[in-house]
């Protein structure tokens, strides 16, 4: 059984027990979350497609930790002009565990 869910503006294919990294979500560690914007479910070959979401279906999750992602280096240069600029960025992430898909 799996589902396609929209979390923080992104779509994820989730299954029970799976952990995923999303953009930073509000809430403390070990807090329970409920996502009700489910776009598609597959329950052993029975597929439900929402338009845009499926009513009555939700996903329960738990926040495991808040962390920062890998460092991304942004380097800009214009040749023969002496212009160089180096900048770094680390995205704030939340690690969540999918507890249950309620149909």
């Amino acid at each position: 059984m799996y589902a396609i869910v929209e979390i923080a503006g992104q779509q994820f294919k989730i299954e029970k027990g799976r952990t995923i990294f999303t953009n930073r979500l509000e809430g403390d560690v070990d807090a329970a979350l409920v996502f009700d914007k489910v776009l598609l479910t597959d329950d052993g070959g029975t597929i439900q497609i929402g338009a845009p979401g499926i009513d009555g279906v939700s996903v329960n999750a738990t926040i495991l930790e808040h962390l920062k992602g890998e460092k991304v280096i942004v380097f800009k240069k214009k040749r023969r002009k002496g212009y160089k600029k180096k900048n770094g960025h680390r995205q704030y992430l939340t690690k969540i565990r999918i507890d249950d898909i309620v149909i």
Side-chain angles (χ1 to χ4, degrees):
M1 169 187 242
Y2 71 89
I4 307 292
V5 179
E6 185 173 328
I7 302 172
Q10 296 178 324
Q11 295 178 5
F12 294 95
K13 179 180 177 183
I14 60 166
E15 297 172 348
K16 184 178 178 181
R18 185 172 173 196
T19 60
I20 58 173
F21 294 95
T22 66
N23 289 331
R24 181 65 59 99
L25 299 173
E26 295 293 325
D28 297 329
V29 176
D30 293 330
L33 300 173
V34 176
F35 303 111
D36 58 353
K37 191 151 188 190
V38 179
L39 307 174
L40 180 138
T41 61
D42 182 7
D43 187 14
T46 305
I47 297 176
Q48 289 181 316
I49 300 175
I54 302 171
D55 295 330
V57 177
S58 63
V59 174
N60 299 327
T62 304
I63 296 177
L64 298 179
E65 65 178 316
H66 297 292
L67 58 129
K68 287 172 130 181
E70 297 279 324
K71 185 163 209 169
V72 177
I73 303 297
V74 179
F75 186 73
K76 298 178 182 180
K77 179 181 177 184
K78 296 190 181 201
R79 63 184 195 156
R80 297 189 295 270
K81 304 296 181 202
Y83 173 79
K84 292 190 277 186
K85 187 168 188 161
K86 183 178 178 182
N87 199 355
H89 173 75
R90 290 183 72 184
Q91 186 71 31
Y92 291 104
L93 301 173
T94 299
K95 183 178 180 180
I96 63 173
R97 179 183 64 234
I98 306 301
D99 295 328
D100 194 20
I101 301 172
V102 180
I103 295 180

